[in-house]
Amino acid sequence: LWRLGYSARLLKTNNFKTAASNTSFPAVWMLLAQYSGRLPGPFVIVKNPTFSTMPETVEDKANPGLYSPHPRVRGMTLLNREAFKRTVVVPALKVKKDSVNSVLKSLKQWVLKRPGLKRVVEDPEDEDSRFVILDPHKIPAFSLGESEQQVLKQLSVHPEVCKYNLELTYENFRSEEILRAVLPEGQEVTSGFSRVGHIAHLNLRDHQLPYRHLIGQVIIDKNPGLTCAVNKTNIIDSTYRNFEMEVLAGESNLVTKVKENNIAYELDFSKVYWNPRLSTEHSRIVELLRPGDVLFDVFAGIGPFAIPAAKKKCRVFANDLNPESHRWLLHNCRLNKVDTKVKAFNMDGRDFLRGPVQEELSKELPLLREEQKTAFHIVMNLPALAVEFLDVFRHLLVGEPCSAAGLPTVHCYGFSKHEDPAKDIQERAEASLGTSLEGRCSTYLVRNVAPNKEMLCISFQVPADVLYKRPCPDEAKPASKRLCTSQGFSEEKLLS
């Protein structure tokens, strides 16, 4: 702060002509950036490639009023596109029509490069001339340097920069600029949303709710292919993993199509769970599978693990408690022509593990030979509750353990707000299993869900002493022999 104050005073004494009454904090930072040749920390822009954003550019802050909508739009709650019209004065060169391309090539770093605005416009008073619009941020004094003027003279172009009245409309402003102009000054502007087919999924803050319909319409307008914007109105229901939502703008059709890792899915976004931020994780798990492996998907949703696994020629058992998810799972299996390779169930996760999973493992594991390479994977993607389901594996099977290589591998997801999330999820998994996983598991950070909240995946082979219940010697005898022995008769007496 001391350096900021000192530098600001230094800027004023060096005739930057910045009146104290007009020097806002961001403006001082921008002056400092120009003076030092680099941008300070607060202006570093980080873009997250995993979901759609409305980008903000640093250059526009150099003259924040130049590309800002008219002040009358402040506080608007219903979108009026006509109210955004305004005219700004920008530098331009008057050039003969035949010389336009040469000028654009020679002065490309000075020419306006703003999306939605033309670099070359007609001269209404001379059909043989054109105006080449220059970047006002790079030519604030409406005058080119000596070297640029020499280039223009060689092209027989008059180097004098004129002032051109450029009309800006709603179409010329970016989403970020529109929303920043509309919302009250100093309030956070929505800058991101999830895209699910033709649907933009927002998670608005309380202070943005009065403007929610306008925000939704702006996002639709500025993102080709979007026809519906929705806002989440409650937390995810832990039973069916869906949430209530309000349609903010556009059509009310929430049945949509998405494509993930080259596989198409169809779904009703209002009734099933779908998160486009998990595409990388879906791919990571499927890459662990080999043709012929068996996948048990306990909380399968509409099939983002199950369907690509089936396409990889794995045998798949997929389950989801939500009837709508089960219906769309079947639909997507047919859509991707893997319906004969996926056995779908509509059961509670515990019942699925104690039923179809236990039955299949009991049948398959005793038949495994050392040279066989079939692997069994169990995916449990219900981060809010999945760790609590791990106790089902305690003595799930009866008999002698199979080879260590045949023990099923579990990929269990969970949320953690702990300062050491990997340690936290391991300890919770160990508590459910009733054994230590030290040196026998790996944890993977999937994504940051919220401030101080992480989503992780813990993977491990279920230990044999947890999975198997070994029968007592007496349990191996016929019932009549166990009864007689308990009454004091020996096997020799029975035989005699």
Side-chain angles (χ1 to χ4, degrees), residues 172-184:
N172 301 132
F173 295 111
R174 298 184 177 98
S175 301
E176 183 81 9
E177 293 164 339
I178 292 171
L179 298 182
R180 190 187 299 119
V182 168
L183 268 65

Side-chain angles (χ1 to χ4, degrees), residues 333-448:
C333 286
R334 291 191 294 270
L335 181 67
N336 289 281
K337 298 180 173 57
V338 294
D339 46 308
T340 59
K341 300 176 182 177
V342 178
K343 291 185 179 181
F345 302 84
N346 180 207
M347 306 171 67
D348 175 79
R350 289 181 178 274
D351 295 336
F352 176 65
L353 288 167
R354 288 172 175 154
V357 175
Q358 191 261 10
E359 181 181 339
E360 192 67 20
L361 291 177
S362 297
K363 181 174 64 176
E364 294 283 343
L365 292 184
L367 301 178
L368 284 181
R369 294 188 296 271
E370 290 293 337
E371 65 272 14
Q372 288 183 313
K373 296 182 179 180
T374 301
F376 296 85
H377 292 264
I378 302 173
V379 174
M380 304 175 68
N381 185 20
L382 184 62
L385 296 172
V387 174
E388 299 175 16
F389 282 71
L390 293 178
D391 65 331
V392 175
F393 291 106
R394 295 189 187 187
H395 296 171
L396 183 65
L397 305 180
V398 177
E400 289 298 321
C402 65
S403 66
L407 293 170
T409 299
V410 172
H411 309 281
C412 182
Y413 293 83
F415 294 132
S416 177
K417 295 183 178 181
H418 196 274
E419 59 181 11
D420 188 345
K423 179 181 178 182
D424 175 48
I425 195 170
Q426 180 178 328
E427 289 178 347
R428 286 158 51 202
E430 291 173 339
S432 290
L433 291 168
T435 191
S436 172
L437 292 176
E438 191 65 34
R440 298 191 287 181
C441 69
S442 63
T443 56
Y444 180 82
L445 179 61
V446 178
R447 70 186 187 98
N448 176 255

Side-chain angles (χ1 to χ4, degrees), residues 10 33 85 140 142 222 246 271 278 308 317 335 354 379 384 492:
L10 180 63
K85 283 186 178 179
F142 288 80
K222 298 299 179 178
E246 176 188 13
K271 296 179 179 178
L278 295 177
F317 297 76
L335 181 67
R354 288 172 175 154
V379 174
E492 289 77 3

